[in-house]
């Protein structure tokens, strides 16, 4: 029998280390959340300051260049401010937040820590529409106003948050929607807004809202031939959860994504055989900080 070639992705170097610092707990219940986070979802727990510190130490010998924090909502974790302050001793940090629970006292401490650090602290704030009418049906009643207030707080403390929006509109409307976003953000006092549009992932709550991946939506080994694998998060990243170290932030709920208990154990190749891998393959760099207008409409592979 001919052997089947797996779509294996080798970790080139552990550049980015992610932390599922908020577990799956969130103050919101967005209807497109790909890990179905909510105020009641405790499937994954918080990471404590001590746990993060241990991983930061572990990461030094591996030459990790940047640290990312996600959830759930990271700022529900009572250690979050201290975790970011500690991380800024090791490298640049980015935290993904829904922007609705930010407190001035935390941002003041973080602005002071960043000013004293060699490294930068980035915030990514999720909003999925440029108005309450377009955002709130996805993220919940009143969330547009609350997230915009969070962005204004960040700007007032000297941060330049990256606004991330899941594309819950037809791709043909990208330019029009992006224009509306920029106008609204500028009117709110954010004069040079940074914006990143993300594809939705057909997992978790989004699977119920629209559809899941079909069995045919899979990356094959042939598709990876001559493909720039550095576009894939799993080619240069791993994520720590309270269960261990997983291949990427997208697949933590898939049992085969858990690669080991230590960072060293997780440095193994991974076969990208999940439906969500097709979204990464098609859009690339979906977890990076780059922010821009799309230069061209993305096309299916
Ligand atoms: S998409 Fe983000 S803000 Fe919304 S429920 Fe999921 S983790 Fe919370
Ligand atoms: S979902 Fe994306 S980042 Fe995760 S293993 Fe698949 S291709 Fe890699």
């Amino acid at each position: 029998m001919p052997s089947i070639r797996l779509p294996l992705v080798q970790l080139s170097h552990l550049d980015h280390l992610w932390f599922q610092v908020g577990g799956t707990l969130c103050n919101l219940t967005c209807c497109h959340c790909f890990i179905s986070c909510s105020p009641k979802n405790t499937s994954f727990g918080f990471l404590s300051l001590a746990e993060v510190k241990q991983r930061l130490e572990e990461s030094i010998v591996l030459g990790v260049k940047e640290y990312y924090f996600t959830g759930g909502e990271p700022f529900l974790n009572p250690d979050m401010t201290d975790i970011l302050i500690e991380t800024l001793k090791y490298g640049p940090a980015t935290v993904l937040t829904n922007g609705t629970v930010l407190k001035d006292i935390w941002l003041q401490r973080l602005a002071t820590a960043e000013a004293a650090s060699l490294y930068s602290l980035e915030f990514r704030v999720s909003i999925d529409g440029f108005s309450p009418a377009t955002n709130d049906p996805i993220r919940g009643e009143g969330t547009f106003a609350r997230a915009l207030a969070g962005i204004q707080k960040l700007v007032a403390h000297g941060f330049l948050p990256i606004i991330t929006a899941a594309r819950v509109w037809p791709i043909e409307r990208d330019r029009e929607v992006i224009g509306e976003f920029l106008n609204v953000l500028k009117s709110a006092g954010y004069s040079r807004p940074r914006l990143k549009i993300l594809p939705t992932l057909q997992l978790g709550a989004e699977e119920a809202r629209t559809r899941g991946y079909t069995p045919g939506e899979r990356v094959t080994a042939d598709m990876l031939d001559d493909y720039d694998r550095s576009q894939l998060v799993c080619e240069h990243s791993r994520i720590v959860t309270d269960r261990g170290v997983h291949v990427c932030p997208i697949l933590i709920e898939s049992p085969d994504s858990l690669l080991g208990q230590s960072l060293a154990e997780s440095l193994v190749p991974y076969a990208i055989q999940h439906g969500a891998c097709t979204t990464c393959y098609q859009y690339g760099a979906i977890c990076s900080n780059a922010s821009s207008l799309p230069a061209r409409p993305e096309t299916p592979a």
Side-chain angles (χ1 to χ4, degrees):
M1 246 174 70
S3 60
I4 298 169
R5 278 207 306 150
L6 293 173
L8 277 180
V9 172
Q10 180 87 41
L11 187 84
S12 64
H13 183 265
L14 185 57
D15 288 340
H16 298 172
L17 183 58
W18 287 69
F19 293 93
Q20 189 77 17
V21 74
T24 40
L25 203 68
C26 190
N27 57 315
L28 306 185
T29 313
C30 302
C31 64
H32 68 342
C33 184
F34 66 86
I35 41 176
S36 306
C37 294
S38 77
K40 291 184 180 163
N41 187 346
T42 51
S43 169
F44 286 83
F46 291 158
L47 296 175
S48 67
L49 173 61
E51 287 169 306
V52 173
K53 215 169 166 174
Q54 183 204 319
R55 298 301 190 174
L56 290 170
E57 282 298 319
E58 211 182 326
S59 76
I60 297 175
V61 285
L62 298 172
V64 171
K65 296 175 183 154
E66 285 187 46
Y67 301 96
Y68 290 79
F69 295 87
T70 188
E73 170 49 51
F75 282 97
L76 296 187
N77 183 330
D79 285 349
M80 195 60 228
T81 308
D82 290 331
I83 285 172
L84 290 173
I85 291 171
E86 183 65 23
T87 304
L88 286 171
K89 297 174 188 167
Y90 291 80
T94 296
V95 56
L96 282 61
T97 173
N98 61 39
T100 63
V101 296
L102 299 175
K103 287 193 176 23
D104 282 313
I105 184 145
W106 301 338
L107 299 183
Q108 182 58 57
R109 286 187 67 209
L110 291 171
T112 303
E114 192 202 27
S117 171
L118 288 173
Y119 306 110
S120 62
L121 173 61
E122 296 272 17
F123 286 81
R124 282 200 216 159
V125 181
S126 306
I127 306 189
D128 295 324
F130 50 80
S131 62
T134 50
N135 173 83
D136 291 4
I138 302 290
R139 303 188 73 83
E141 192 66 31
T143 54
F144 179 80
R146 289 170 63 198
L148 199 60
I151 291 166
Q152 288 171 317
K153 271 187 196 178
L154 286 165
V155 172
H157 285 280
F159 295 106
L160 299 173
I162 300 168
I163 313 306
T164 59
R167 185 183 287 111
V168 289
W169 56 84
I171 194 167
E172 303 74 42
R173 293 191 56 219
D174 264 7
R175 289 206 164 260
E176 171 202 340
V177 172
I178 289 167
E180 297 278 10
F181 261 112
L182 296 179
N183 288 339
V184 165
L185 291 166
K186 284 178 188 169
S187 305
Y190 189 8
S191 57
R192 298 185 62 194
R194 304 159 77 195
L195 188 60
K196 179 175 169 72
I197 307 299
L198 300 168
T200 53
L201 291 157
Q202 310 300 132
L203 299 173
E206 178 66 3
E207 191 170 348
R209 189 182 79 94
T210 54
R211 67 171 184 88
Y213 292 99
T214 64
E217 287 179 295
R218 294 293 183 272
V219 177
T220 64
D222 288 352
M223 288 162 69
L224 282 180
D225 290 343
D226 301 324
Y227 178 82
D228 176 8
R229 295 168 199 215
S230 68
Q231 290 295 310
L232 304 172
V233 174
C234 52
E235 191 264 353
H236 52 266
S237 311
R238 292 293 182 254
I239 182 166
V240 175
T241 75
D242 64 344
R243 297 182 194 174
V245 188
H246 301 245
V247 67
C248 76
I250 297 166
L251 295 180
I252 56 168
E253 291 186 304
S254 303
D256 76 329
S257 75
L258 184 59
L259 301 179
Q261 289 306 310
S262 68
L263 295 184
E265 284 169 9
S266 76
L267 310 179
V268 290
Y270 184 77
I272 58 165
Q273 299 183 101
H274 290 271
C277 302
T278 61
T279 301
C280 294
Y281 181 89
Q282 180 178 347
Y283 293 95
I286 64 176
C287 298
S288 77
N289 272 351
S291 55
S292 65
L293 285 170
R296 56 180 169 74
E298 294 92 333
T299 48

